[in-house]
């Protein structure tokens, strides 16, 4: 396994268009997270899944954002009617839930530019 | 909810200098603490972590961090930096038992001059 992968790595779109990003976690990991990172800031939590269930959403995740993890494996993050303020790096991470604490493993991110 | 403060936005050092990056968190309960590093053009990688036990934890590439509970701090140290340590460093915290809600600091950019 080569780690968490994300596709595409870069996306340029015009305001108002819809975009969809994909994340493939580490295969044995049952938790998957989405973060957004803007310039000069650390990642900000958006949402996470345990298997196929979306268990928490940040208030940063407006109604234009939707995430799915239909079979408990890969996940998609869709942004509808993109706005310039959506321009950011979207990061995916995965972890394995077990006893105690566990770290999250991050993918390379998808950089979104909304023009 | 917890929050994380990293005191230094940009640190510039010469090779062989010692490094200490500050991290303070705000949370009343038990926490797990992490330092992540992001090298230029690469993704976030875990540098080290603290869950429990010895408050002095050692990570990869000669880095270490000390958890001081009374100060709510988890500072990152390295006795002698190398040019290859040039990267952005992020401190992160999550609450024990609520591992999904990871909060990151704003990051510290380290530039090491050869």
């Amino acid at each position: 396994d080569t780690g968490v992968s994300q596709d595409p790595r870069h996306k340029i779109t015009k305001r108002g268009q819809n975009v969809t990003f994909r994340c493939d976690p580490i295969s044995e990991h049952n938790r998957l997270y989405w973060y957004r990172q803007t310039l000069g800031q650390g990642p900000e939590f958006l949402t996470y899944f345990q298997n196929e269930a979306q268990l928490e959403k940040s208030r940063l995740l407006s109604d234009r954002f939707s995430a799915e993890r239909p079979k408990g494996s890969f996940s998609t993050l869709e942004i509808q009617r993109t706005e310039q303020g959506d321009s950011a790096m979207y990061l995916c991470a995965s972890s394995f839930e077990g006893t105690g604490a566990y770290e999250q493993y991050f993918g390379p991110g998808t950089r979104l530019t909304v023009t | 909810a917890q929050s994380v403060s990293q005191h230094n936005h940009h640190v510039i050092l010469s090779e062989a200098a010692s490094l200490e990056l500050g991290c303070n968190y705000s949370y009343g309960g038990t926490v797990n603490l992490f330092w992540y590093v992001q090298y230029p053009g690469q993704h976030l990688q875990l540098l080290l972590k603290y869950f429990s036990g010895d408050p002095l934890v050692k990570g990869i590439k000669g880095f270490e961090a000390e958890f001081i509970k009374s100060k709510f701090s988890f500072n990152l140290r390295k006795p002698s930096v190398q040019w290859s340590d040039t990267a952005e460093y992020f401190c992160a915290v999550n609450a024990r038992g609520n591992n999904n809600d990871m909060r990151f600091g704003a990051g510290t950019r380290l530039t090491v001059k050869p």
Side-chain angles (χ1 to χ4, degrees), chain B residues 13-19 78-83 85 112-114:
Chain B
L13 295 172
S14 297
E15 274 194 315
S18 64
L19 169 73
K78 186 171 183 178
S80 176
V81 294
Q82 301 173 316
W83 176 79
D85 293 325
V112 181
K113 294 183 174 180

Side-chain angles (χ1 to χ4, degrees), chain B:
Chain B
Q2 59 269 33
S3 64
V4 180
S5 297
Q6 291 184 241
H7 314 299
N8 311 103
H9 182 65
H10 189 192
V11 172
I12 302 173
L13 295 172
S14 297
E15 274 194 315
S18 64
L19 169 73
E20 182 160 2
L21 301 182
C23 173
N24 285 89
Y25 67 93
S26 171
Y27 183 67
T30 305
V31 295
N32 305 312
L33 297 155
F34 307 84
W35 276 96
Y36 281 85
V37 60
Q38 188 167 26
Y39 298 103
Q42 298 188 25
H43 58 277
L44 280 163
Q45 302 171 41
L46 182 69
L47 202 53
L48 48 78
K49 62 193 177 191
Y50 171 79
F51 297 158
S52 63
D54 188 345
L56 183 63
V57 292
K58 296 189 183 298
I60 59 172
K61 304 185 180 183
F63 286 91
E64 65 178 31
E66 185 175 13
F67 170 48
I68 303 179
K69 188 175 180 179
S70 61
K71 295 185 178 180
F72 296 89
S73 70
F74 190 55
N75 292 354
L76 181 70
R77 300 195 292 250
K78 186 171 183 178
S80 176
V81 294
Q82 301 173 316
W83 176 79
S84 58
D85 293 325
T86 294
E88 186 131 22
Y89 293 81
F90 294 93
C91 181
V93 60
N94 62 24
R96 191 75 54 83
N98 188 20
N99 294 314
N100 50 287
D101 192 4
M102 181 91 83
R103 300 296 177 101
F104 284 81
T108 297
R109 184 153 55 100
L110 172 65
T111 301
V112 181
K113 294 183 174 180

Side-chain angles (χ1 to χ4, degrees), chain A residues 5-69:
Chain A
S5 62
Q6 292 186 244
D7 184 69
R9 296 290 303 276
H10 304 273
K11 179 71 177 179
I12 300 173
T13 191
K14 293 184 177 179
R15 189 177 54 187
Q17 298 295 305
N18 299 344
V19 293
T20 300
F21 311 140
R22 177 180 169 123
C23 170
D24 287 87
I26 294 171
S27 58
E28 63 267 24
H29 285 183
N30 55 3
R31 285 198 170 186
L32 186 148
Y33 311 79
W34 285 99
Y35 290 85
R36 182 177 69 186
Q37 186 178 17
T38 53
L39 199 62
Q41 298 297 319
E44 296 173 289
F45 171 78
L46 292 178
T47 188
Y48 93 99
F49 293 82
Q50 179 153 327
N51 300 312
E52 66 275 8
Q54 187 174 16
L55 296 186
E56 188 169 340
K57 293 193 286 187
S58 160
R59 66 179 188 280
L60 294 174
L61 211 67
S62 76
D63 291 344
R64 296 184 296 105
F65 288 69
S66 62
E68 294 183 341
R69 193 183 185 198

